[in-house]
Amino acid sequence: MYAQMVDTGSPDNQALDAREARFQQRIDDGIRIEPQDWMPERYRKTLIRQISQHAHSEIVGQLPEGNWITRAPSLKRKAILLAKVQDEAGHGLYLYSAAETLGISRDQMVDDLHTGKAKYSSIFNYPTLTWADVGAIGWLVDGSAIMNQIPLCRCSYGPYARAMIRVCKEEAFHMRQGYDLMLALCRGTPAQKAMAQDALNRWWWPSLMMFGPPDGDSVHSAQSQAWKIKLFTNDELRQKMVDQTVPQAEYLGLTIPDADLKWNAERGHYDYGAIDWDEFYAVVKGNGPCNRERLDTRRQAWDDGAWFREALVAHADKQAQREHARAA
Amino acid sequence: MKNEWPLWEVFIRSQHGLAHRHVGSLHAPDAAMAINNARDVYTRRNEGTSIWVVKAVDITASDPDDKQALFDPAQSKVYRHPTFFPMPDEVKGL
Ligand SMILES: [Fe+2]
Ligand SMILES: [Fe+2]
């Protein structure tokens, strides 16, 4: 997902102390944890990792689509894409704020992203080769993000849950504009439809990988579920995504690039083929098609903006000094 | 940049006549920039007709450990609610 394989730390060997038991009881009772409340250090650290990774994904997630803003085929599509990418910047900001309530500074998080210490979602390390990729991302990637984020609106940590409510409202627009774009291409010329099919072919498997490793290999899942900061397992969400998307692809007249995909009446779900987890781990470790380019672009943007940030601070300082002089 | 911008809490009034509500926070070097940023971050979909920004350090909050001492006493004062007083059905205007 936007936060993948989040480490929950190693559990203490001794039984939970009384305070931690009370904390767990609150969560079990569905009472939200707020920033000033006592919380176990592992809960705090895990959430910092999860929320900041999620924030970084929103920020880096602007880049693949940003690539097409100046080349959108019409003014209408350009305005829509600009608004969508701007929303992603907003999502990053809501989430950084939520993470800061846990005691990490914004500068620290930005630093961790730029030095490569912090991760962001594997999905944003794939290239956007054609205009249809913008549609495929909205439909599949934002669609998958919604699937993961709607349950997080009920997660145990108040600021995270509230940020997710805002994000989810906006994601619905992202998914629809993507599907709308795919619809337009699929109703267009054969070449346009072929472009849409090609985008689906390239984004399908990375979108399924986005939900993270299979449940059997997902070591930290149980603790995160007990803390209610993860409400469904990776495989549950992945299955939901497949079940939802197959009919949507059929409507477009596109073929999902999976020979093993078929309806399983007994399970009431679609069966799907094996995922190439070697590819997933290669991307997570920094060897996807665009990992280096994404980080370089981020760092460059940060460095290029330095003079402007410094000027704003200089102006603010000067105003404050004037104010001070006038008051004295 | 180690000179981190201060944190501002953002309050938005959604419609004329309603109170400003806390919507989130952001960093900005000064109040004017905080308003500018708040407009972009929190009002992209007509959410507001007015914005307040307050430096987070200027907010004094109650201590969660005082929750019982502060709020429990109100629980026993049910007579503060109009529903505490049953009124005869025949009498109107109460
Ligand atoms: Fe987003
Ligand atoms: Fe999105």
Side-chain angles (χ1 to χ4, degrees), chain A residues 2 58 88 91 167 171 174:
Chain A
Y2 280 14
E58 302 284 355
E88 305 299 6
H91 297 176
V167 167
E171 289 297 350
H174 298 176

